[in-house]
Amino acid sequence: MNEDGSKIGRRLKRTGDLLVGGAQEQVSSYKTRFEALEGSYDAFLSQLLHSYTDSKLDTSFVDEFFGKRKISFAGVDGTVCKNAVFDLLIFFAGAYANRGELTVHDSGEFDIAYEEKFIDSGLGISSVLPVYINEVPYIDQTVLIRDEEGAVDEMISQTDSWIIDNSAFADYMMGLSEFYLALKLVTEPNDVDVLLMDRVLSSELSSFYAETSDFRVNLDKECGLIGYKLEGERFSKTDWIYARRLFGNKDLQIPPARGEYLLPRIVVELRDQYPTGLERDEIADRLGLTSDHQLDRLDKELQAGMKGKGEAKAVIRRKGKHFTVVPSMHDLLPRLEKLVFDVCERIFSEDPDVTFRDRFKIDSRWLTTNDLAFLSLVSLNLVTMKCWKKRKLLIGVAKDTSARDLKRQLLPVLNYTGHFEGGFQESGADVPDTDRMILQWVSLKERDRLDVPWATVEYDTAFKTIVPHLEGRKGLVSGARRNQISLNKMFLKAYFQLSEAKTDPKLRSNVLLYDRLAYPGFDDREECSATLKHDYGGHPDDPELVDAIFYHEANNPIQRFILQVFRRMTSPSIPELFGHLRPLYVADKVAKFYFNQFNSMVASTGSWLVNRPELREFIFYLSTFRERRSDVEQTRRHT
């Protein structure tokens, strides 16, 4: 029977035709979208893209920011592994750092030296957890099935294969390992001056903040940290709730006295005046609250702080005219730092006598993905606090991104509020969907005018959560989700491109993105600020002001330093480093080395178990039908 006459042949041919046709249609569609970008560089993008071709650093900036000419740096990357061995699911995760030093000369020229023998001498942490598959739902809240109100539906269970495929516990372990290693790198005696992470820091902060909300998490049943004894005092639900919000920098007005952050900001002000406290008018004066509506909100938040809010107990006390915080709020930050170091030192302990139960259980309660997210959030916040205090440059870099906020949020909001003219509004859906693809094409098209390395102007990551006013009130903005706007003046974001091939200028490296920490004295200048009016609480005549950072025409010495150093950290002659950064590349290679070593250990463990005579009968019934069938099929193929 020939292929055309076979049902299977006809079916395969039809599938192939659909595949080729669909691919051609997608390619043709993207070609049309790229054509819609024609003229956008001259129209407005040239104002947002800056080349940094000068190879010399600004020594005055280096002296002002770092206060020294020898600048240490480190790149941090992680690895994760999830393997099933019979009825066990084994989670492994770790993070590793590649360090180096940058020496700046009086001329502005600089040298970069990387550490040698990084596999043996490099700083790294890791941990492993073997657990029965039926126990995974106790530690991994992401595999639980919830009803419409968020409660766990005990009537629905999933298959073992579904749990294996969808469990995210190892990913949370890897996130925690990276942020805890970052914390160790900015803490004496291992501190560095420039910390590079293979993460979008602002997105991680927002994600962990949302995931650990007491409205989404059952703190009594789904968190092993609650009740942890810390210097004689138990870690409470109130501690958990406020631990997420009290970090910040008052010089940058973080947390801001607006929206959902008003009560935490009040607590911060009262904490700094402990134990004397402040009167109501003093609080209003410190926070700049003057209108009747603003003062009414202040009174409501003070009452909420004294009565308790949601799962949180009272955190504010009143004596006469003075308000003050309860003692547990006054010393919360140092207690949190001790909590992180205590728990993480056990999780990532190098002591072989510390068993997996000692690592991942507290008073017989499992640490869950919620706990790992909380520890990651606190670790990241501690890193930012130390970087502000010691003036260390914190930068997150993303190799691949599908972000669309420049196209969908930044430009529409700036146009709507009159801070900038030009955008993709007229082209609309005709242009490519992601910022990276837009900028990649523009860079290729305008390569004669846009030299590498280049970067977009930096802008506040709060713009990702801002949209033009939902009811069309001119000059006002709204929060993109539930009318909430995330922390402003916390992180700044930019897209950048580092390299082009010497033999063919059409061949340019991928457009990447970085976000970095904002710094008082550098990023809070009036010329790099765009003040937006947020209609919050249904009072458009009395909007809350949001000072978002936008480097339109202002000089940006930090970005200049970053791009000049990035340029020296890449290498067009090494394919894997073309447009990427060597510290992160090496850290990734070290992580992959440990990943391969651990994978071999898991395979060896499985072989050892299979070949134990006393376990043979037990193993037969312990393995699944799929595993037995796979073994038989593999044996048949090789005999």
Side-chain angles (χ1 to χ4, degrees), residues 243-268:
R244 302 165 54 253
R245 303 180 176 185
L246 297 188
F247 291 93
N249 187 312
K250 287 179 64 175
D251 291 334
L252 292 172
Q253 299 299 306
I254 303 172
R258 61 170 177 83
E260 64 176 319
Y261 303 106
L262 180 55
L263 179 55
R265 179 55 186 273
I266 294 170
V267 174
V268 169

PDB file of all heavy atoms in Angstrom, residues 243-268:
ATOM      1  N   ALA A 243       6.290  42.063  57.981  1.00  0.00           N
ATOM      2  CA  ALA A 243       7.645  41.842  57.468  1.00  0.00           C
ATOM      3  C   ALA A 243       7.710  42.102  55.972  1.00  0.00           C
ATOM      4  O   ALA A 243       8.753  42.474  55.436  1.00  0.00           O
ATOM      5  CB  ALA A 243       8.092  40.416  57.761  1.00  0.00           C
ATOM      6  N   ARG A 244       6.611  41.908  55.279  1.00  0.00           N
ATOM      7  CA  ARG A 244       6.568  42.111  53.831  1.00  0.00           C
ATOM      8  C   ARG A 244       6.602  43.585  53.454  1.00  0.00           C
ATOM      9  O   ARG A 244       6.888  43.916  52.300  1.00  0.00           O
ATOM     10  CB  ARG A 244       5.301  41.476  53.254  1.00  0.00           C
ATOM     11  CG  ARG A 244       5.170  39.994  53.542  1.00  0.00           C
ATOM     12  CD  ARG A 244       3.762  39.463  53.299  1.00  0.00           C
ATOM     13  NE  ARG A 244       3.253  39.761  51.985  1.00  0.00           N
ATOM     14  CZ  ARG A 244       2.307  40.660  51.742  1.00  0.00           C
ATOM     15  NH1 ARG A 244       1.765  41.362  52.739  1.00  0.00           N
ATOM     16  NH2 ARG A 244       1.896  40.881  50.512  1.00  0.00           N
ATOM     17  N   ARG A 245       6.323  44.495  54.402  1.00  0.00           N
ATOM     18  CA  ARG A 245       6.037  45.881  54.027  1.00  0.00           C
ATOM     19  C   ARG A 245       6.941  46.937  54.647  1.00  0.00           C
ATOM     20  O   ARG A 245       6.911  48.091  54.212  1.00  0.00           O
ATOM     21  CB  ARG A 245       4.596  46.221  54.424  1.00  0.00           C
ATOM     22  CG  ARG A 245       3.547  45.300  53.820  1.00  0.00           C
ATOM     23  CD  ARG A 245       2.168  45.710  54.259  1.00  0.00           C
ATOM     24  NE  ARG A 245       1.113  44.917  53.643  1.00  0.00           N
ATOM     25  CZ  ARG A 245      -0.184  45.147  53.794  1.00  0.00           C
ATOM     26  NH1 ARG A 245      -0.587  46.149  54.566  1.00  0.00           N
ATOM     27  NH2 ARG A 245      -1.079  44.398  53.207  1.00  0.00           N
ATOM     28  N   LEU A 246       7.698  46.578  55.660  1.00  0.00           N
ATOM     29  CA  LEU A 246       8.412  47.611  56.417  1.00  0.00           C
ATOM     30  C   LEU A 246       9.815  47.896  55.903  1.00  0.00           C
ATOM     31  O   LEU A 246      10.491  48.766  56.432  1.00  0.00           O
ATOM     32  CB  LEU A 246       8.469  47.225  57.898  1.00  0.00           C
ATOM     33  CG  LEU A 246       7.124  47.111  58.620  1.00  0.00           C
ATOM     34  CD1 LEU A 246       7.339  46.930  60.107  1.00  0.00           C
ATOM     35  CD2 LEU A 246       6.242  48.322  58.356  1.00  0.00           C
ATOM     36  N   PHE A 247      10.265  47.171  54.906  1.00  0.00           N
ATOM     37  CA  PHE A 247      11.576  47.469  54.326  1.00  0.00           C
ATOM     38  C   PHE A 247      11.459  48.691  53.417  1.00  0.00           C
ATOM     39  O   PHE A 247      10.413  48.950  52.827  1.00  0.00           O
ATOM     40  CB  PHE A 247      12.077  46.286  53.503  1.00  0.00           C
ATOM     41  CG  PHE A 247      12.425  45.092  54.333  1.00  0.00           C
ATOM     42  CD1 PHE A 247      11.491  44.100  54.569  1.00  0.00           C
ATOM     43  CD2 PHE A 247      13.687  44.965  54.886  1.00  0.00           C
ATOM     44  CE1 PHE A 247      11.811  42.981  55.328  1.00  0.00           C
ATOM     45  CE2 PHE A 247      14.020  43.862  55.653  1.00  0.00           C
ATOM     46  CZ  PHE A 247      13.090  42.868  55.868  1.00  0.00           C
ATOM     47  N   GLY A 248      12.550  49.414  53.291  1.00  0.00           N
ATOM     48  CA  GLY A 248      12.515  50.545  52.379  1.00  0.00           C
ATOM     49  C   GLY A 248      13.622  51.533  52.662  1.00  0.00           C
ATOM     50  O   GLY A 248      14.591  51.256  53.359  1.00  0.00           O
ATOM     51  N   ASN A 249      13.435  52.736  52.107  1.00  0.00           N
ATOM     52  CA  ASN A 249      14.423  53.801  52.226  1.00  0.00           C
ATOM     53  C   ASN A 249      13.670  55.125  52.329  1.00  0.00           C
ATOM     54  O   ASN A 249      13.047  55.562  51.362  1.00  0.00           O
ATOM     55  CB  ASN A 249      15.343  53.790  50.999  1.00  0.00           C
ATOM     56  CG  ASN A 249      16.495  54.757  51.121  1.00  0.00           C
ATOM     57  OD1 ASN A 249      16.316  55.915  51.482  1.00  0.00           O
ATOM     58  ND2 ASN A 249      17.689  54.282  50.816  1.00  0.00           N
ATOM     59  N   LYS A 250      13.724  55.745  53.496  1.00  0.00           N
ATOM     60  CA  LYS A 250      12.944  56.965  53.706  1.00  0.00           C
ATOM     61  C   LYS A 250      13.446  58.118  52.844  1.00  0.00           C
ATOM     62  O   LYS A 250      12.676  59.013  52.493  1.00  0.00           O
ATOM     63  CB  LYS A 250      12.968  57.355  55.185  1.00  0.00           C
ATOM     64  CG  LYS A 250      12.100  56.432  56.052  1.00  0.00           C
ATOM     65  CD  LYS A 250      12.151  56.823  57.499  1.00  0.00           C
ATOM     66  CE  LYS A 250      11.562  58.209  57.731  1.00  0.00           C
ATOM     67  NZ  LYS A 250      11.513  58.555  59.170  1.00  0.00           N
ATOM     68  N   ASP A 251      14.735  58.113  52.477  1.00  0.00           N
ATOM     69  CA  ASP A 251      15.246  59.154  51.584  1.00  0.00           C
ATOM     70  C   ASP A 251      14.571  59.085  50.223  1.00  0.00           C
ATOM     71  O   ASP A 251      14.436  60.100  49.533  1.00  0.00           O
ATOM     72  CB  ASP A 251      16.760  59.020  51.421  1.00  0.00           C
ATOM     73  CG  ASP A 251      17.518  59.367  52.694  1.00  0.00           C
ATOM     74  OD1 ASP A 251      16.977  60.151  53.509  1.00  0.00           O
ATOM     75  OD2 ASP A 251      18.639  58.867  52.876  1.00  0.00           O
ATOM     76  N   LEU A 252      14.160  57.880  49.823  1.00  0.00           N
ATOM     77  CA  LEU A 252      13.442  57.702  48.560  1.00  0.00           C
ATOM     78  C   LEU A 252      11.932  57.615  48.766  1.00  0.00           C
ATOM     79  O   LEU A 252      11.193  57.327  47.825  1.00  0.00           O
ATOM     80  CB  LEU A 252      13.933  56.426  47.867  1.00  0.00           C
ATOM     81  CG  LEU A 252      15.378  56.445  47.353  1.00  0.00           C
ATOM     82  CD1 LEU A 252      15.793  55.057  46.882  1.00  0.00           C
ATOM     83  CD2 LEU A 252      15.545  57.466  46.231  1.00  0.00           C
ATOM     84  N   GLN A 253      11.487  57.833  49.998  1.00  0.00           N
ATOM     85  CA  GLN A 253      10.061  57.756  50.345  1.00  0.00           C
ATOM     86  C   GLN A 253       9.507  56.354  50.083  1.00  0.00           C
ATOM     87  O   GLN A 253       8.427  56.181  49.486  1.00  0.00           O
ATOM     88  CB  GLN A 253       9.257  58.802  49.557  1.00  0.00           C
ATOM     89  CG  GLN A 253       9.659  60.234  49.831  1.00  0.00           C
ATOM     90  CD  GLN A 253       9.454  60.627  51.296  1.00  0.00           C
ATOM     91  OE1 GLN A 253       8.374  60.473  51.841  1.00  0.00           O
ATOM     92  NE2 GLN A 253      10.502  61.148  51.910  1.00  0.00           N
ATOM     93  N   ILE A 254      10.252  55.331  50.517  1.00  0.00           N
ATOM     94  CA  ILE A 254       9.829  53.933  50.417  1.00  0.00           C
ATOM     95  C   ILE A 254       9.714  53.361  51.824  1.00  0.00           C
ATOM     96  O   ILE A 254      10.698  53.422  52.575  1.00  0.00           O
ATOM     97  CB  ILE A 254      10.844  53.099  49.606  1.00  0.00           C
ATOM     98  CG1 ILE A 254      11.042  53.692  48.216  1.00  0.00           C
ATOM     99  CG2 ILE A 254      10.364  51.654  49.488  1.00  0.00           C
ATOM    100  CD1 ILE A 254      12.168  53.026  47.436  1.00  0.00           C
ATOM    101  N   PRO A 255       8.565  52.803  52.235  1.00  0.00           N
ATOM    102  CA  PRO A 255       7.319  52.733  51.461  1.00  0.00           C
ATOM    103  C   PRO A 255       6.667  54.104  51.357  1.00  0.00           C
ATOM    104  O   PRO A 255       6.814  54.935  52.256  1.00  0.00           O
ATOM    105  CB  PRO A 255       6.456  51.757  52.276  1.00  0.00           C
ATOM    106  CG  PRO A 255       6.977  51.870  53.672  1.00  0.00           C
ATOM    107  CD  PRO A 255       8.436  52.123  53.542  1.00  0.00           C
ATOM    108  N   PRO A 256       5.946  54.352  50.272  1.00  0.00           N
ATOM    109  CA  PRO A 256       5.326  55.664  50.081  1.00  0.00           C
ATOM    110  C   PRO A 256       4.078  55.822  50.943  1.00  0.00           C
ATOM    111  O   PRO A 256       3.448  54.829  51.330  1.00  0.00           O
ATOM    112  CB  PRO A 256       4.966  55.659  48.592  1.00  0.00           C
ATOM    113  CG  PRO A 256       4.744  54.217  48.270  1.00  0.00           C
ATOM    114  CD  PRO A 256       5.693  53.439  49.139  1.00  0.00           C
ATOM    115  N   ALA A 257       3.744  57.063  51.244  1.00  0.00           N
ATOM    116  CA  ALA A 257       2.551  57.344  52.054  1.00  0.00           C
ATOM    117  C   ALA A 257       1.327  57.435  51.146  1.00  0.00           C
ATOM    118  O   ALA A 257       0.676  58.478  51.037  1.00  0.00           O
ATOM    119  CB  ALA A 257       2.750  58.642  52.835  1.00  0.00           C
ATOM    120  N   ARG A 258       1.011  56.338  50.489  1.00  0.00           N
ATOM    121  CA  ARG A 258      -0.128  56.303  49.558  1.00  0.00           C
ATOM    122  C   ARG A 258      -0.643  54.881  49.449  1.00  0.00           C
ATOM    123  O   ARG A 258       0.037  53.918  49.813  1.00  0.00           O
ATOM    124  CB  ARG A 258       0.302  56.807  48.175  1.00  0.00           C
ATOM    125  CG  ARG A 258       1.394  55.950  47.549  1.00  0.00           C
ATOM    126  CD  ARG A 258       1.629  56.306  46.087  1.00  0.00           C
ATOM    127  NE  ARG A 258       2.720  55.526  45.509  1.00  0.00           N
ATOM    128  CZ  ARG A 258       2.600  54.303  45.035  1.00  0.00           C
ATOM    129  NH1 ARG A 258       1.423  53.685  45.093  1.00  0.00           N
ATOM    130  NH2 ARG A 258       3.632  53.666  44.510  1.00  0.00           N
ATOM    131  N   GLY A 259      -1.859  54.754  48.927  1.00  0.00           N
ATOM    132  CA  GLY A 259      -2.438  53.456  48.622  1.00  0.00           C
ATOM    133  C   GLY A 259      -2.348  52.476  49.770  1.00  0.00           C
ATOM    134  O   GLY A 259      -2.507  52.820  50.942  1.00  0.00           O
ATOM    135  N   GLU A 260      -2.048  51.232  49.437  1.00  0.00           N
ATOM    136  CA  GLU A 260      -1.966  50.173  50.441  1.00  0.00           C
ATOM    137  C   GLU A 260      -0.733  50.294  51.323  1.00  0.00           C
ATOM    138  O   GLU A 260      -0.583  49.575  52.309  1.00  0.00           O
ATOM    139  CB  GLU A 260      -1.964  48.806  49.754  1.00  0.00           C
ATOM    140  CG  GLU A 260      -0.756  48.568  48.868  1.00  0.00           C
ATOM    141  CD  GLU A 260      -0.730  47.175  48.273  1.00  0.00           C
ATOM    142  OE1 GLU A 260      -1.062  46.220  48.993  1.00  0.00           O
ATOM    143  OE2 GLU A 260      -0.387  47.062  47.082  1.00  0.00           O
ATOM    144  N   TYR A 261       0.181  51.208  50.976  1.00  0.00           N
ATOM    145  CA  TYR A 261       1.419  51.357  51.742  1.00  0.00           C
ATOM    146  C   TYR A 261       1.312  52.401  52.850  1.00  0.00           C
ATOM    147  O   TYR A 261       2.274  52.612  53.593  1.00  0.00           O
ATOM    148  CB  TYR A 261       2.567  51.758  50.812  1.00  0.00           C
ATOM    149  CG  TYR A 261       2.791  50.801  49.677  1.00  0.00           C
ATOM    150  CD1 TYR A 261       2.413  51.135  48.368  1.00  0.00           C
ATOM    151  CD2 TYR A 261       3.356  49.548  49.883  1.00  0.00           C
ATOM    152  CE1 TYR A 261       2.602  50.255  47.318  1.00  0.00           C
ATOM    153  CE2 TYR A 261       3.545  48.657  48.840  1.00  0.00           C
ATOM    154  CZ  TYR A 261       3.172  49.025  47.559  1.00  0.00           C
ATOM    155  OH  TYR A 261       3.357  48.148  46.520  1.00  0.00           O
ATOM    156  N   LEU A 262       0.153  53.058  52.996  1.00  0.00           N
ATOM    157  CA  LEU A 262       0.044  54.138  53.976  1.00  0.00           C
ATOM    158  C   LEU A 262       0.252  53.631  55.402  1.00  0.00           C
ATOM    159  O   LEU A 262       1.032  54.218  56.166  1.00  0.00           O
ATOM    160  CB  LEU A 262      -1.314  54.840  53.836  1.00  0.00           C
ATOM    161  CG  LEU A 262      -1.558  55.994  54.819  1.00  0.00           C
ATOM    162  CD1 LEU A 262      -0.445  57.035  54.742  1.00  0.00           C
ATOM    163  CD2 LEU A 262      -2.923  56.642  54.574  1.00  0.00           C
ATOM    164  N   LEU A 263      -0.429  52.558  55.795  1.00  0.00           N
ATOM    165  CA  LEU A 263      -0.266  52.049  57.158  1.00  0.00           C
ATOM    166  C   LEU A 263       1.166  51.582  57.417  1.00  0.00           C
ATOM    167  O   LEU A 263       1.739  51.934  58.466  1.00  0.00           O
ATOM    168  CB  LEU A 263      -1.269  50.928  57.431  1.00  0.00           C
ATOM    169  CG  LEU A 263      -1.186  50.291  58.828  1.00  0.00           C
ATOM    170  CD1 LEU A 263      -1.296  51.341  59.926  1.00  0.00           C
ATOM    171  CD2 LEU A 263      -2.273  49.219  59.003  1.00  0.00           C
ATOM    172  N   PRO A 264       1.795  50.795  56.516  1.00  0.00           N
ATOM    173  CA  PRO A 264       3.201  50.448  56.753  1.00  0.00           C
ATOM    174  C   PRO A 264       4.098  51.671  56.899  1.00  0.00           C
ATOM    175  O   PRO A 264       5.014  51.661  57.732  1.00  0.00           O
ATOM    176  CB  PRO A 264       3.575  49.627  55.510  1.00  0.00           C
ATOM    177  CG  PRO A 264       2.292  49.036  55.045  1.00  0.00           C
ATOM    178  CD  PRO A 264       1.251  50.062  55.347  1.00  0.00           C
ATOM    179  N   ARG A 265       3.832  52.742  56.126  1.00  0.00           N
ATOM    180  CA  ARG A 265       4.668  53.936  56.243  1.00  0.00           C
ATOM    181  C   ARG A 265       4.464  54.597  57.603  1.00  0.00           C
ATOM    182  O   ARG A 265       5.417  55.112  58.217  1.00  0.00           O
ATOM    183  CB  ARG A 265       4.349  54.917  55.121  1.00  0.00           C
ATOM    184  CG  ARG A 265       5.159  56.203  55.181  1.00  0.00           C
ATOM    185  CD  ARG A 265       6.680  55.928  55.215  1.00  0.00           C
ATOM    186  NE  ARG A 265       7.429  57.148  55.409  1.00  0.00           N
ATOM    187  CZ  ARG A 265       7.814  57.946  54.422  1.00  0.00           C
ATOM    188  NH1 ARG A 265       7.520  57.623  53.164  1.00  0.00           N
ATOM    189  NH2 ARG A 265       8.481  59.049  54.673  1.00  0.00           N
ATOM    190  N   ILE A 266       3.232  54.584  58.098  1.00  0.00           N
ATOM    191  CA  ILE A 266       2.962  55.123  59.442  1.00  0.00           C
ATOM    192  C   ILE A 266       3.758  54.328  60.478  1.00  0.00           C
ATOM    193  O   ILE A 266       4.375  54.897  61.383  1.00  0.00           O
ATOM    194  CB  ILE A 266       1.455  55.069  59.750  1.00  0.00           C
ATOM    195  CG1 ILE A 266       0.680  56.012  58.825  1.00  0.00           C
ATOM    196  CG2 ILE A 266       1.184  55.425  61.210  1.00  0.00           C
ATOM    197  CD1 ILE A 266      -0.828  55.848  58.900  1.00  0.00           C
ATOM    198  N   VAL A 267       3.739  52.985  60.341  1.00  0.00           N
ATOM    199  CA  VAL A 267       4.476  52.138  61.276  1.00  0.00           C
ATOM    200  C   VAL A 267       5.970  52.451  61.212  1.00  0.00           C
ATOM    201  O   VAL A 267       6.657  52.496  62.241  1.00  0.00           O
ATOM    202  CB  VAL A 267       4.205  50.648  60.973  1.00  0.00           C
ATOM    203  CG1 VAL A 267       5.086  49.755  61.836  1.00  0.00           C
ATOM    204  CG2 VAL A 267       2.738  50.314  61.199  1.00  0.00           C
ATOM    205  N   VAL A 268       6.503  52.685  60.016  1.00  0.00           N
ATOM    206  CA  VAL A 268       7.926  53.027  59.865  1.00  0.00           C
ATOM    207  C   VAL A 268       8.245  54.326  60.594  1.00  0.00           C
ATOM    208  O   VAL A 268       9.259  54.435  61.300  1.00  0.00           O
ATOM    209  CB  VAL A 268       8.299  53.127  58.370  1.00  0.00           C
ATOM    210  CG1 VAL A 268       9.684  53.751  58.204  1.00  0.00           C
ATOM    211  CG2 VAL A 268       8.270  51.748  57.723  1.00  0.00           C
TER     212      VAL A 268
END
